[in-house]
Amino acid sequence: MILQHRLKANSDRLDIELVKHYGNLPQVECYAGQQNQVFMNVLSNAIDALEESLANNQAQITSPTITIHTEQVDTDQIEIRIADNGLSIPESVRQRLFDPFFTTKPVGKGTGMGLSISYQIVTEKHGGSLSCTSEPGEGAEFKIRVPVRQEVSKNVAIGV
């Protein structure tokens, strides 16, 4: 909802379609506010990538799309996949995506901390994993996996 205004068409670009494939998920023990920060960072980056693709005519995108899939992958884990159909991310960039202060954005547009912080939240705070796959001409997909239950559940809120 917070990013809804960035999905709407303006004088510079088309609408970005948001496709949701939500599976039936159990309640997940997590720090809900931190997980929401992860989703915001990944979604915001997907919107940025689509806007850049469209602005520079670097890809022949006629229908910019972000797709969100959620599913329970086994009794102990859920997975959230967020994909865009913008430009692909070269391997050399993917290797550094989660490094602190690494950014591909112009000066003043990004801090290089969003994905680094997201990686820490998912892996260190929740015992999960965060990865990115991208094939040339296919856009990029971020995969977030988190356990349904935390090892140390003290002070963990139920969310997601």
Side-chain angles (χ1 to χ4, degrees):
M1 194 162 82
I2 294 171
L3 294 173
Q4 189 67 39
H5 71 282
R6 294 198 53 209
L7 299 173
K8 296 196 181 299
N10 61 35
S11 60
D12 297 329
R13 67 162 175 77
L14 305 166
D15 266 336
I16 296 174
E17 182 181 6
L18 186 61
V19 178
K20 303 170 190 173
H21 298 285
Y22 294 157
N24 189 17
L25 299 181
Q27 283 196 328
V28 176
E29 292 178 358
C30 70
Y31 296 98
Q34 291 180 357
Q35 283 293 2
N36 284 334
Q37 182 179 358
V38 171
F39 304 142
M40 287 286 292
N41 284 334
V42 174
L43 286 167
S44 181
N45 283 345
I47 294 168
D48 290 345
L50 288 169
E51 286 177 342
E52 182 182 341
S53 297
L54 292 166
N56 297 332
N57 291 324
Q58 294 172 322
Q60 298 301 320
I61 302 173
T62 56
S63 180
T65 305
I66 295 172
T67 305
I68 303 171
H69 290 267
T70 66
E71 66 180 309
Q72 185 169 1
V73 291
D74 58 37
T75 58
D76 300 326
Q77 284 194 329
I78 63 156
E79 180 176 271
I80 300 101
R81 295 187 323 268
I82 300 171
D84 67 69
N85 66 340
L87 295 175
S88 58
I89 302 173
E91 177 63 28
S92 59
V93 173
R94 280 197 319 271
Q95 291 175 358
R96 300 192 58 206
L97 277 179
F98 305 115
D99 292 352
F101 305 109
F102 176 76
T103 184
T104 59
K105 295 176 183 171
V107 175
K109 285 282 187 175
T111 63
M113 293 302 291
L115 288 177
S116 174
I117 290 169
S118 296
Y119 186 84
Q120 287 180 324
I121 289 170
V122 172
T123 61
E124 295 174 19
K125 298 281 187 188
H126 292 89
S129 64
L130 174 58
S131 61
C132 175
T133 56
S134 183
E135 295 294 327
E138 299 291 321
E141 179 178 78
F142 284 81
K143 185 185 297 184
I144 303 157
R145 279 196 175 192
V146 291
V148 172
R149 294 198 176 33
Q150 296 295 305
E151 294 281 325
V152 181
S153 60
K154 180 170 72 174
N155 295 326
V156 176
I158 302 293
V160 177

